[in-house]
Amino acid sequence: MLVLGLQGSPRKKGNTEFLLNEFMKESEKKGAQTHIIDACGGNINHCIGCGSCEKKGFCIFDDEMSREVYPLLRRADVILLATPVYFYNTTSHLKTLIDRGQALWSRRYKYLLEDPYNNHRKGVVLSIGATKGENLFDGVNLTAKYFFDAVGAIFDGGLTYRRIEERGAIASYPGILNDIKNEVERIVTPYLKRKKILFACRENACRSQMASAFAQYIAGDRIEAFSGGSSPAENINPVMIEAMNEKGLDMAYKKPQSIDSGVSQVTPDIIVTMGCSEECPFIPGVEKIDWQLPDPAGESLEFMRNVRDEIERKVFDLADGL
Ligand SMILES: Cc1cc2nc3c(=O)[nH]c(=O)nc-3n(C[C@H](O)[C@H](O)[C@H](O)COP(=O)(O)O)c2cc1C
């Protein structure tokens, strides 16, 4: 599972950095993968309101956001929005990243496409301010809530601290490490208890991509799904994307990967093969299931629909049997 941290403070060794780093360390101790995006790196363009994402479904900019952040937002199980309070809101650095969430908002609310993982991803706020007013975090929380909804995450609270001003002062806040430990236990641990299933096919462009997406959509609370191919294609198949869009599911930002890189992320409990059984790695103690499915590469949309529906039925049965 992946915990993605969006770091919004420009102050090095500051309070937000401490909070986020400790959260990540604790998550890693539990067995999660973590990744931090520094929103203050200056590599993310401001949204210019051109409307291109609403017309074409994708942002026009080719920058860190498009190349790295959108795919990570789609891969993450938990998204942490970490920011000091600046004038009752997030820092402008983080707000730049948040505004670019408009491209994912468009896919969800203009194109009516759901990221398969929307129902199971969580959004959490880590925030710190110098003053003590009751409404100190209202602006951050409201912005976070709307951002999380746009990128397909369910807002689930977080940790906020008042009256912390000097650099690093949070480190001596009474019980801080315990608070973080408890929050990781509440947010991260349930994801680590899911069955890890690797769906494998030849190119990781159609069948295993569909199976993994259905597993996330139908049973993302019980299954950690990932996929790979014995001979991965350059890109996922456009006919497959169309067939999944007909079901309302969005396959944007997905890239074929090899079975080996799938397995290097997590050791699966179960491997489901579909057309690459003999090339699949043997991992002792891992259950192997083979689904007999025709390869839809190069076939018509009608053919793809039949394979898609068969995969959906099989994923339902698999999830039921867990
Ligand atoms: C430009 C700026 C604006 C700030 N605005 C607020 C504010 O509106 N309310 C508040 O309580 N603290 C405000 N602060 C204080 C910071 O939130 C506080 O010092 C925090 O601990 C900084 O965290 P960091 O070390 O992670 O950057 C502001 C600080 C700066 C530099």
Side-chain angles (χ1 to χ4, degrees):
M1 72 148 309
L2 177 67
V3 182
L4 176 66
L6 307 175
Q7 150 66 317
S9 174
R11 185 154 71 164
K12 297 295 161 216
K13 295 194 170 27
N15 299 312
T16 309
E17 195 179 299
F18 176 88
L19 201 53
L20 181 59
N21 285 350
E22 290 301 322
F23 194 107
M24 293 313 213
K25 272 193 233 161
E26 191 60 32
S27 301
E28 284 167 16
K29 260 196 245 164
K30 296 263 171 205
Q33 274 186 290
T34 65
H35 189 99
I36 294 177
I37 293 289
D38 178 9
C40 309
N43 301 318
I44 298 175
N45 289 313
H46 298 289
C47 174
I48 54 168
C50 65
S52 186
C53 60
E54 293 183 24
K55 288 187 210 100
K56 297 188 175 151
F58 290 98
C59 183
I60 47 156
F61 287 122
D62 179 18
D63 61 358
E64 185 187 358
M65 190 75 193
S66 293
R67 283 194 294 269
E68 196 180 349
V69 184
Y70 292 133
L72 280 167
L73 287 168
R74 286 285 169 103
R75 250 192 69 206
D77 295 278
V78 174
I79 301 169
L80 305 173
L81 207 68
T83 184
V85 177
Y86 273 19
F87 288 87
Y88 280 90
N89 213 302
T90 70
T91 61
S92 54
H93 311 74
L94 189 57
K95 187 64 167 46
T96 296
L97 185 155
I98 288 170
D99 290 351
R100 295 284 299 284
Q102 181 73 359
L104 298 186
W105 178 91
S106 289
R107 301 195 68 80
R108 187 168 197 188
Y109 291 111
K110 284 272 169 181
Y111 290 80
L112 303 179
L113 292 172
E114 288 289 320
D115 169 24
Y117 202 51
N118 275 1
N119 296 330
H120 306 289
R121 184 181 294 114
K122 281 190 174 175
V124 171
V125 165
L126 303 178
S127 189
I128 292 161
T131 57
K132 62 179 169 90
E134 202 186 316
N135 304 326
L136 182 56
F137 299 104
D138 286 3
V140 170
N141 281 335
L142 193 58
T143 302
K145 204 168 171 184
Y146 191 59
F147 170 70
F148 287 142
D149 183 69
V151 304
I154 300 153
F155 180 46
D156 196 11
L159 296 173
T160 52
Y161 294 90
R162 293 175 169 80
R163 302 181 85 166
I164 306 284
E165 187 161 17
E166 297 312 316
R167 188 199 301 264
I170 188 75
S172 41
Y173 186 89
I176 184 70
L177 293 179
N178 220 30
D179 288 359
I180 294 168
K181 212 169 163 186
N182 291 339
E183 193 63 355
V184 168
E185 186 63 33
R186 182 179 80 86
I187 297 288
V188 176
T189 305
Y191 287 98
L192 296 164
K193 294 184 176 150
R194 297 172 301 172
K195 272 255 184 288
K196 298 174 186 67
I197 304 185
L198 170 70
F199 295 95
C201 67
R202 201 166 49 82
E203 293 193 317
N204 191 216
C206 297
R207 290 167 293 181
S208 57
Q209 289 283 354
M210 289 193 277
S212 169
F214 278 126
Q216 289 186 326
Y217 186 62
I218 294 164
D221 55 339
R222 284 168 290 146
I223 296 176
E224 179 171 353
F226 51 118
S227 65
S230 53
S231 159
E234 191 80 11
N235 291 303
I236 58 171
N237 184 310
V239 183
M240 182 279 289
I241 296 174
E242 198 180 338
M244 291 301 270
N245 287 356
E246 288 178 352
K247 300 286 286 185
L249 294 177
D250 191 4
M251 303 300 283
Y253 307 103
K254 295 196 187 299
K255 269 262 174 211
Q257 65 171 356
S258 67
I259 294 173
D260 286 346
S261 40
V263 171
S264 70
Q265 287 162 29
V266 211
T267 306
D269 300 302
I270 302 172
I271 297 182
V272 178
T273 57
M274 35 194 107
C276 68
S277 187
E278 63 291 338
E279 288 152 75
C280 236
F282 172 75
I283 308 173
V286 175
E287 185 184 348
K288 218 165 171 185
I289 301 171
D290 189 46
W291 288 352
Q292 294 296 320
L293 290 162
D295 188 350
E299 302 286 350
S300 66
L301 179 59
E302 194 51 41
F303 192 97
M304 188 69 76
R305 285 185 185 124
N306 290 334
V307 177
R308 174 199 68 193
D309 293 344
E310 183 62 23
I311 289 175
E312 188 182 19
R313 275 192 291 276
K314 283 181 181 298
V315 170
F316 262 115
D317 290 347
L318 181 70
D320 272 353
L322 289 178

